[in-house]
Amino acid sequence: MSATVNETLIRDVVAEVLGRLGGVSATAPVTTPATAPPAASPACGCPAGKATSSAKAASRGKFGVFADANEACEAAHEAYQQLSDAGVAGRRKVVELIKEICYAKAEEWGRLELAETKIGRLDHKIEKLQGQRGIPGVEFLNPYGLSGDHGITLEEYAPFGVIGAITPSTHSIPTMACNIISMVSAGNAAVFNAHPGAYQCAVTAARYFNQAIRHELGIENLACIVEPPTLESFNAIAKNELVKLLCVTGGPGVVQAAMASGKRAICAGPGNPPVLVDGTSCLDNAAKCIVFGAAYDNNLLCIGEKEVFVLEPHFDKLMAALEKHGAYRLNSSQIETLAKAAFVFPPGQGAGCPHPVVNRDLIGKDPEVLAKAAGVTIPRGTQLLIGETTADHIFVEEEQMMPFLPIVRVKSVAEGVVASKKAEHGYKHSAMIHSHDVSNMTAMGKALETTLFIKNGSCLAGLGAGGEGYSNFSIATTTGEGICNPRTFTRVRRCVMVDKLRIF
Ligand code: NAD
């Protein structure tokens, strides 16, 4: 420890303590970084010299962490201007830093997020952070050029400025990290309001990111976060005139709130992805993919397989293959016992709410926990619980985000497509088919109109894991931008030179 302590670090620590005493609400929870962020060291020639942002911004928050949402927006706006001065090379450097840090801190931060949220699986939390390397960066923004008799026109992808970002409990640090990569690639700064049940780990990561960015580029507060996040801080961000765009990742409530805010919003909303198995493709591969996708992070992924419709003649074979690949089959009375534990109110009876309320104590929990709630003991290493239900079962209709997968027999592909569409609720999020029949694929694709439609793979193939394509944890379904990437966070600006500049 003593080897890393230096004058600047001591100054930073003192400033932070003073900031907390003077500028931060006494009621704000104090979080401690899991490890010390990179110490600002004059010996490396950058931090003291490059830290150019105003003393005003530094006195309000520290390394991007703010108690006041409006102050966070102001500081982010200053950072946006500094990023603009740092040019494309500056953006590229920030993106490299975030990716490197996420890779290096994957295990530590995976543990931190799991300890705070108590949902999901450590191995997958680690993978989600390591996978940030696959998020596209500055290279994604190729301008569009036109050259003709009347000169040259260039359309460029320009930043908005400050973006207000809301992140979910299901992947708090991964969503924040990939949002930063995409938003900063495009030249923006960001202010985050994390989920109240998953914000401490996000604050730790944000503080670390900002300290590293300051260390390398001298830019303060590029990715700000409000601590603690509240509905009031969401409203303040949504109303702040320096915030030009919102990006929300979450369920129906936050999507509705963002759309009602009057600000332009990119909404990565809820899903309830169905899978159709028509028996024309390899059932063993279908089962392997389904178990992998639905068990991933204990089925917390919005793209994860949430219900399966299988043609009747192939039902038994598929069930056996699912069991072979690590699923445990519950009988109907165990399913009903689990349903009673998993949903707090039956439909229509939840205090003015038309939906049943999912029991948060079971969301993202290990299969053993669900099995206990179902009154059964399962073998160690079980990946997923499965069981036969009807198409109108509560487990089919609700996005439950727990490792139980209802399997439904259907008599025809047409019936399976109709049932899939109903279960998907028009979210236009994700759907999967296991088939070698092009007409069946086309029928399902056309009927469901989902943002992601995966054929013969797990849901993760839709994010480039096992399929082609780039990744992101914000999939803008509701507003239609698709899997977020740097271009999602840009304004298109056209520059026209009349009659000149062509080289022939
Ligand atoms: P959630 O909706 O409870 O919370 C998401 C975020 O929105 C949190 O930061 C929360 O504090 C905030 N929020 C919720 N209601 C709000 C309101 N009325 N006003 C302002 N802010 C509000 O969701 P969650 O449990 O954290 O995450 C799971 C949900 O998110 C699922 O529905 C899942 O499908 C969806 N999700 C979607 C994507 C995607 O890319 N489309 C990615 C991850 C999760």
Side-chain angles (χ1 to χ4, degrees), residues 430-453:
S430 301
M432 276 61 71
I433 188 168
H434 291 273
S435 171
H436 281 172
D437 185 315
V438 176
S439 338
N440 293 347
M441 295 175 186
T442 309
M444 186 168 179
K446 279 190 173 176
L448 270 74
E449 300 178 80
T450 49
T451 306
L452 287 177
F453 184 40

Side-chain angles (χ1 to χ4, degrees), residues 119 165-171 175 193-198 229-231 234-235 248-258 267-273 300-303 306 360 363 399 401 427 429 472-478 482 484:
I119 56 174
I166 317 301
T167 51
S169 60
T170 46
H171 343 280
T175 308
N193 212 45
H195 190 284
T230 58
L231 276 182
F234 166 82
N235 286 327
V248 308
T249 306
V254 71
V255 168
Q256 218 174 9
C267 296
N272 193 32
L300 285 181
L301 294 181
C302 57
I303 59 169
K306 296 288 191 292
R360 289 219 157 244
I363 288 178
E399 184 199 23
M401 294 189 296
Y427 290 140
H429 197 298
N472 202 288
F473 288 102
S474 292
I475 302 153
T477 46
T478 318
C484 288

Side-chain angles (χ1 to χ4, degrees), residues 120-473:
R121 283 174 48 165
L122 180 62
D123 51 347
H124 297 146
K125 299 233 174 287
I126 293 171
E127 275 181 14
K128 291 194 289 186
L129 284 164
Q130 290 174 334
Q132 298 290 325
R133 281 179 165 181
I135 308 290
V138 176
E139 73 287 349
F140 210 85
L141 297 172
N142 290 321
Y144 171 65
L146 287 170
S147 173
D149 293 340
H150 292 295
I152 280 185
T153 287
L154 195 63
E155 284 187 350
E156 292 191 279
Y157 297 105
F160 276 92
V162 179
I163 300 176
I166 317 301
T167 51
S169 60
T170 46
H171 343 280
S172 185
I173 304 177
T175 308
M176 181 175 71
C178 68
N179 279 180
I180 296 173
I181 291 170
S182 303
M183 291 168 186
V184 171
S185 289
N188 304 286
V191 176
F192 287 89
N193 212 45
H195 190 284
Y199 80 92
Q200 295 182 41
C201 58
V203 163
T204 297
R207 184 180 283 132
Y208 200 97
F209 290 147
N210 282 295
Q211 193 161 354
I213 294 166
R214 186 190 111 146
H215 181 278
E216 288 294 324
L217 289 127
I219 300 175
E220 304 254 17
N221 304 318
L222 191 59
C224 295
I225 188 162
V226 183
E227 181 192 34
T230 58
L231 276 182
E232 289 71 36
S233 57
F234 166 82
N235 286 327
I237 292 170
K239 284 202 184 99
N240 192 294
E241 61 183 30
L242 293 172
V243 174
K244 301 299 177 198
L245 179 70
L246 294 175
C247 174
V248 308
T249 306
V254 71
V255 168
Q256 218 174 9
M259 304 278 244
S261 71
K263 194 145 278 177
R264 190 184 156 203
I266 289 165
C267 296
N272 193 32
V275 186
L276 181 58
V277 180
D278 71 1
T280 60
S281 65
C282 171
L283 286 177
D284 191 67
N285 182 58
K288 189 173 156 197
C289 294
I290 290 168
V291 171
F292 179 63
Y296 199 86
D297 214 12
N298 286 339
N299 212 348
L300 285 181
L301 294 181
C302 57
I303 59 169
E305 288 82 352
K306 296 288 191 292
E307 60 276 333
V308 176
F309 300 97
V310 51
L311 259 65
E312 196 146 29
H314 310 288
F315 181 89
D316 291 336
K317 210 168 160 196
L318 181 71
M319 291 303 261
L322 289 166
E323 287 178 88
K324 179 186 143 196
H325 286 288
Y328 182 92
R329 183 172 180 175
L330 299 183
N331 64 32
S332 56
S333 83
Q334 290 161 346
I335 294 170
E336 294 322 311
T337 308
L338 180 61
K340 281 200 185 87
F343 298 99
V344 179
F345 299 109
Q349 291 182 25
C353 170
H355 288 284
V357 178
V358 182
N359 177 3
R360 289 219 157 244
D361 290 345
L362 290 183
I363 288 178
K365 290 294 187 295
D366 291 340
E368 289 75 16
V369 177
L370 266 65
K372 200 171 165 203
V376 60
T377 307
I378 56 172
R380 271 174 79 86
T382 298
Q383 299 292 302
L384 181 71
L385 304 182
I386 54 169
E388 181 175 3
T389 72
T390 54
D392 59 0
H393 196 276
I394 195 165
F395 271 123
V396 172
E397 296 206 325
E398 291 301 317
E399 184 199 23
Q400 83 275 20
M401 294 189 296
M402 50 187 81
F404 170 75
L405 192 64
I407 318 285
V408 181
R409 296 171 199 252
V410 287
K411 291 198 168 55
S412 65
V413 168
E415 184 188 328
V417 169
V418 169
S420 296
K421 190 172 167 65
K422 184 166 176 275
E424 216 274 324
H425 299 299
Y427 290 140
K428 300 190 179 174
H429 197 298
S430 301
M432 276 61 71
I433 188 168
H434 291 273
S435 171
H436 281 172
D437 185 315
V438 176
S439 338
N440 293 347
M441 295 175 186
T442 309
M444 186 168 179
K446 279 190 173 176
L448 270 74
E449 300 178 80
T450 49
T451 306
L452 287 177
F453 184 40
I454 297 130
K455 295 148 187 164
N456 303 318
S458 88
C459 65
L460 283 138
L463 296 185
E468 293 299 327
Y470 58 86
S471 180
N472 202 288
F473 288 102

